[in-house]
Amino acid sequence: MITTSRTSGSLVGPPAPAGSRADASFHRRGLNGRDARDALVAWRGEAVALLHDRFQRAVDDGDQHRDTDPGVLARHLMTVANGIAVQAAIQAAGGATRDDLQLVADMALRSRPSA
C-alpha cells in the first residue's frame, strides 16, 4: 500500500527513499556528468517498470479498474514523486513545506483510479 506520509514526509527529512535526494540534487546542481545522468535515467526507468508491474497485477486482481493504464499510472506517480523530491530539496530556499508536500501527495493518491 502506498502511504502519503512516506511519500512526502521522508523526502523533507531523513531517511529518504533511495534516489529521491540524488534525483533532486541532479536537478538542483545541474550535474553534467553523463554517468550521473545515465544512472538517474536507469533508476527512473526501473522504478517506473516496477510500478507498472505492480499496477498491472492490481488490474489483473481487480484492485484497480480494468480500464486503468498501468504505464500511465506509474509515470503519473513517478512524476509527482519527482516533483515532491525537488520541492523538498529546495525547502530551505522557500520551497514547499512538509505540510504542503503532504497535501500534494494526498491529492495525487486520491486522483488515481479505483476498482
Side-chain angles (χ1 to χ4, degrees):
M1 177 177 185
I2 300 170
T3 62
T4 59
S5 61
R6 176 155 163 70
T7 304
S8 65
S10 61
L11 294 174
V12 176
S20 63
R21 290 208 175 121
D23 194 50
S25 178
F26 178 80
H27 291 293
R28 187 174 65 242
R29 292 192 179 99
L31 297 176
N32 57 15
R34 181 171 292 282
D35 290 340
R37 184 186 63 84
D38 291 349
L40 284 173
V41 168
W43 174 78
R44 286 178 183 156
E46 290 169 13
V48 170
L50 289 170
L51 286 169
H52 175 277
D53 293 348
R54 177 60 188 99
F55 292 142
Q56 185 62 60
R57 282 194 314 274
V59 170
D60 295 343
D61 294 345
D63 293 332
Q64 285 288 332
H65 193 273
R66 68 176 187 234
D67 293 336
T68 298
D69 183 326
V72 171
L73 186 54
R75 289 211 175 271
H76 169 77
L77 185 59
M78 283 300 298
T79 300
V80 171
N82 288 336
I84 288 172
V86 170
Q87 288 298 309
I90 62 170
Q91 181 183 19
T97 66
R98 178 183 287 249
D99 290 340
D100 292 336
L101 298 178
Q102 183 66 54
L103 291 170
V104 170
D106 290 343
M107 178 180 279
L109 290 176
R110 281 193 310 270
S111 69
R112 69 183 180 86
S114 58

